[in-house]
Amino acid sequence: MTSYRTFWVICGLYFLTLGFTTASGMEILKWIASKFEDFGSSLNVNRIPLYHFPDIWQNLIYISGLFKLVLSVMVVISITNEYQYRTLRQNIIDGMSRLEFVLSKVLTNVLLSLMSVAMLLLIIIVTGLIYTPDLAFADVITGAEFLLAYFLEIFAFLSYALMLGVFIQRSGLTIVVLMLSHMIEAIIKLNLFRESLNPSIGWLKQFFPLESITNLVPLPFARYAFQEIQDYVSITAIVIALTWAFLFNYFSYLKLKKADI
Amino acid sequence: METVLSINKLTKNFGKLCAVNQLDLEVKRGQVFGMLGPNGSGKTTTLGMLMGVTNPTSGSFTWFGEPATHHTRKKIGAVLEHPIFYPYLSGQKNLELNAMVKGANSANIEKVLDIVELSDRKEDKYRTYSLGMKQRLAIASALVSDPIILILDEPTNGLDPMGIAEIREIVKRIAADGKTIILASHLLDEVQKVCTHFAVLRKGKLMHSGPVDDVGKGEETVEVMAYHDDLGVLLQEFVGSGSIKKDNGIFQVMMKDGFHSQDLNKFLFEKGIITSHLMTKKKSLEKKFLEILFEAH
Ligand SMILES: Nc1ncnc2c1ncn2[C@@H]1O[C@H](COP(=O)(O)OP(=O)(O)OP(=O)(O)O)[C@@H](O)[C@H]1O
Ligand SMILES: [Mg+2]
């Protein structure tokens, strides 16, 4: 497992892209601004405080959240390989318990999530200190709670990917289902909550698994178009997503416990 | 002798198919136990249940007198069906992982690689190994925790005669070490050569179980050849002769109970006939195996 090349290549690529995209956003903005100047108009990059504390927390974390799909594909490959090469079977034969196996996979997910968090913390601190024009300590801290939400967002989604892998067992199909999940959930919601049906059950939406993961870190950019956004982490969202993360892993365990492998 | 494995009415259904049917079996310490049976008779399924990868439908079994947990499995080295390893890791690295799962001392790795004669290829990736090397690595991995019991499911599958002979030597060496071995195989000749006990399964049912030595007991067949025209007639005069067959110029004399080849030889010698070929043939396991399966019909 540890020296599986593809695994580490994807892993490396993920962290590289993650780091590069999040860290270089300001430089890209500056570059666009300089192009504007070439055409005689001016664009003040500091007018949009993308990389200023405290905005930077939610901004970068939201963007990073989009990359979790890459990480989840890696998790799918690692679990479905265990079935395909039957190494899961041999591990059990060798004396691993099924619970231990699930725990080892869940722990890997925790580790991957923590690594993402650590990486992002570093990038935010560094870029934030560089680009924020006037630093105030209070501003630096505000919004840091999004890191917690980010951790849960990654971990819950990886748990979901792991569960799909355990149930489907074939890498190709699992990845397809994983990619289509958002769409499938959207279709279900669309059919369930058609306006005409019953508007009073709209609040149920937030309980859907993928929606609950998305709700952890709401889209921040609308605020730059003078719109009201949710710029805090909602406790309800945390509780719902946490429950789902637990359920995903529990379902994985139940399935594995009953299966002939 | 101490009972290592005791199986009690173990049953596995796959849907309507009953792969293992009310199986009772006992294996004692130091036995080399052969599991025989035609394809699909439930050997792998049985071993899979014993090793915790197949959930039994009903029945039970105990290892070392206790119900099995994953801790029990650490004391058993097993390879079911095909060798299973991470293809992108070296033989050495794979064994390190096995040792880790089993909580075994990784100092054993060198020793077991020596036993299966893979030491000089240990750094190569598993996927570059030949089939024989894969099988041998599988045996090495089963041995890595210095287990009390070794379970091998067709360890010679797909090997050439030399590979088969090599594995046979390895198994014999391990057995001489005093380990208990359970060996599922189609090669009856192999089982006869290495096993002390055997069981025959058919469609998931136990048809027979007992010591391999017993197979040869009972009536004895003696092959006789001599340059004498009346040999056939004379053989019939011998009081110990049961039925007599002639096959390629060689007489096959089925002896009556209590008569042996030396009695026949003495008789012929007294009649003035000197044999050019005289051989006692014990009943082969193969013959017994076919008899057992045939009786069941
Ligand atoms: N996972 C499974 N699902 C459904 N049927 C199965 C499964 N595994 C085994 N069987 C069936 O159970 C029966 C016993 O199979 P098993 O593999 O135990 O036989 P075997 O004695 O090991 O045969 P072989 O000598 O060919 O290895 C067969 O009929 C097989 O088709
Ligand atoms: Mg088999």
Side-chain angles (χ1 to χ4, degrees):
Chain A
M1 175 72 229
T2 39
S3 52
Y4 179 30
R5 207 180 310 131
T6 319
F7 186 90
W8 285 114
V9 168
I10 301 183
C11 198
L13 276 179
Y14 164 76
F15 283 107
L16 267 179
T17 349
L18 183 64
F20 186 76
T21 333
T22 47
S24 62
M26 198 61 181
E27 297 308 318
I28 292 172
L29 263 184
K30 280 186 184 161
W31 179 80
I32 294 173
S34 75
K35 285 289 158 197
F36 267 91
E37 270 161 30
D38 290 349
F39 289 104
S41 54
S42 81
L43 183 84
N44 185 357
V45 288
N46 281 332
R47 277 241 310 278
I48 305 172
L50 272 186
Y51 276 82
H52 297 183
F53 284 117
D55 284 18
I56 184 172
W57 289 108
Q58 196 177 354
N59 291 348
L60 288 202
I61 284 176
Y62 180 82
I63 294 288
S64 316
L66 303 177
F67 287 98
K68 61 180 182 290
L69 201 61
V70 181
L71 210 54
S72 66
V73 167
M74 209 163 67
V75 169
V76 167
I77 291 175
S78 118
I79 178 73
T80 51
N81 270 354
E82 296 274 356
Y83 284 98
Q84 192 197 332
Y85 296 127
R86 309 195 90 194
T87 40
L88 161 60
R89 184 174 156 97
Q90 190 63 45
N91 280 332
I92 302 292
I93 289 174
D94 283 345
M96 200 184 256
S97 76
R98 291 167 195 229
L99 181 63
E100 279 170 356
F101 180 82
V102 174
L103 284 182
S104 81
K105 291 291 166 189
V106 173
L107 218 65
T108 310
N109 286 352
V110 169
L111 220 67
L112 287 171
S113 313
L114 280 180
M115 273 158 71
S116 303
V117 168
M119 174 110 184
L120 216 60
L121 178 64
L122 188 77
I123 290 170
I124 289 177
I125 297 286
V126 171
T127 54
L129 289 181
I130 293 175
Y131 296 123
T132 309
D134 38 14
L135 282 164
F137 181 71
D139 284 350
V140 175
I141 297 296
T142 328
E145 74 266 21
F146 275 108
L147 271 186
L148 180 73
Y150 176 60
F151 172 81
L152 189 55
E153 178 187 0
I154 304 282
F155 177 67
F157 196 69
L158 294 187
S159 303
Y160 176 67
L162 178 66
M163 181 190 73
L164 283 188
V166 166
F167 275 83
I168 302 176
Q169 298 176 10
R170 300 215 306 277
S171 57
L173 189 58
T174 311
I175 291 172
V176 170
V177 172
L178 187 69
M179 302 270 189
L180 293 180
S181 300
H182 276 285
M183 215 161 77
I184 296 169
E185 195 186 280
I187 292 172
I188 294 174
K189 278 186 292 196
L190 217 66
N191 284 310
L192 232 52
F193 303 117
R194 251 174 298 185
E195 300 278 336
S196 54
L197 235 71
N198 191 353
S200 67
I201 57 165
W203 58 273
L204 274 174
K205 269 190 196 173
Q206 59 177 328
F207 290 101
F208 277 76
L210 296 182
E211 166 121 16
S212 80
I213 295 173
T214 320
N215 284 345
L216 287 168
V217 183
L219 179 76
F221 303 114
R223 64 181 156 201
Y224 302 120
F226 307 106
Q227 282 177 20
E228 197 59 20
I229 64 147
Q230 180 196 323
D231 60 356
Y232 55 90
V233 179
S234 130
I235 299 294
T236 327
I238 294 266
V239 170
I240 297 174
L242 202 60
T243 311
W244 275 116
F246 174 79
L247 284 179
F248 293 149
N249 290 318
Y250 187 61
F251 291 153
S252 299
Y253 172 64
L254 279 190
K255 164 74 183 169
L256 205 68
K257 203 174 117 181
K258 277 193 309 185
D260 292 334
I261 44 186
Chain B
M1 237 185 323
E2 184 193 344
T3 301
V4 205
L5 168 66
S6 166
I7 303 180
N8 183 15
K9 302 222 175 324
L10 197 60
T11 301
K12 177 68 187 181
N13 297 328
F14 291 110
K16 272 187 189 161
L17 181 105
C18 189
V20 175
N21 193 350
Q22 304 266 329
L23 182 68
D24 291 309
L25 213 57
E26 286 224 332
V27 177
K28 296 202 176 348
R29 187 179 283 268
Q31 289 184 347
V32 181
F33 197 94
M35 285 236 297
L36 305 177
N39 290 123
S41 54
K43 303 182 293 293
T44 304
T45 307
T46 304
L47 297 179
M49 288 191 280
L50 296 179
M51 292 314 291
V53 288
T54 307
N55 292 320
T57 306
S58 65
S60 63
F61 58 88
T62 57
W63 284 111
F64 317 105
E66 292 161 18
T69 67
H70 64 283
H71 294 297
T72 338
R73 296 203 291 275
K74 294 182 181 169
K75 291 187 255 175
I76 306 168
V79 186
L80 301 193
E81 289 188 310
H82 323 281
I84 300 174
F85 292 100
Y86 292 97
Y88 38 83
L89 299 182
S90 68
Q92 167 84 24
K93 192 93 186 124
N94 265 303
L95 290 190
E96 281 170 20
L97 281 181
N98 288 136
M100 200 179 73
V101 173
K102 286 194 168 292
N105 187 348
S106 52
N108 280 343
I109 292 175
E110 209 174 318
K111 205 176 72 193
V112 295
L113 279 171
D114 258 356
I115 293 179
V116 299
E117 292 159 15
L118 268 182
S119 300
D120 45 340
R121 294 292 303 270
K122 66 180 181 189
E123 296 303 336
D124 295 341
K125 289 224 167 24
Y126 173 72
R127 85 171 106 75
T128 67
Y129 285 7
S130 76
L131 183 58
M133 293 164 70
K134 287 176 179 172
Q135 304 270 29
R136 281 184 283 151
L137 188 68
I139 294 180
S141 83
L143 285 174
V144 84
S145 61
D146 195 19
I148 306 166
I149 304 172
L150 194 64
I151 295 183
L152 301 172
D153 189 2
E154 293 172 39
T156 51
N157 219 349
L159 297 188
D160 63 13
M162 221 156 78
I164 292 176
E166 270 173 32
I167 301 264
R168 183 202 311 145
E169 285 315 308
I170 293 173
V171 171
K172 273 185 172 171
R173 239 179 293 153
I174 299 166
D177 253 11
K179 292 206 191 304
T180 310
I181 301 179
I182 300 176
L183 175 75
S185 179
H186 291 295
L187 302 177
L188 302 164
D189 200 31
E190 288 302 310
V191 170
Q192 188 158 30
K193 277 178 190 151
V194 302
C195 291
T196 59
H197 294 72
F198 76 111
V200 180
L201 294 184
R202 184 170 156 273
K203 292 188 178 163
K205 274 208 152 105
L206 182 69
M207 310 304 317
H208 176 93
S209 130
V212 170
D213 281 346
D214 284 359
V215 171
K217 284 200 186 131
E219 62 293 3
E220 176 175 317
T221 305
V222 181
E223 277 189 6
V224 199
M225 204 159 74
Y227 300 108
H228 195 285
D229 294 336
D230 296 333
L231 182 60
V233 184
L234 279 169
L235 283 174
Q236 259 160 15
E237 284 175 18
F238 176 54
V239 285
S241 294
S243 65
I244 299 174
K245 272 191 301 190
K246 194 174 178 188
D247 199 5
N248 271 339
I250 301 175
F251 287 94
Q252 311 258 359
V253 185
M254 183 95 86
M255 307 295 277
K256 282 184 183 155
D257 252 2
F259 287 92
H260 299 283
S261 52
Q262 60 265 37
D263 303 321
L264 179 63
N265 198 13
K266 189 157 168 256
F267 168 79
L268 289 176
F269 196 74
E270 280 165 359
K271 294 279 176 191
I273 295 172
I274 299 182
T275 58
S276 62
H277 172 94
L278 184 89
M279 195 168 85
T280 314
K281 283 209 325 193
K282 280 197 173 170
K283 197 191 305 176
S284 72
L285 186 60
E286 179 171 347
K287 202 163 162 204
K288 176 82 178 173
F289 176 74
L290 293 174
E291 260 177 37
I292 291 167
L293 291 183
F294 193 69
E295 276 166 18
H297 274 291

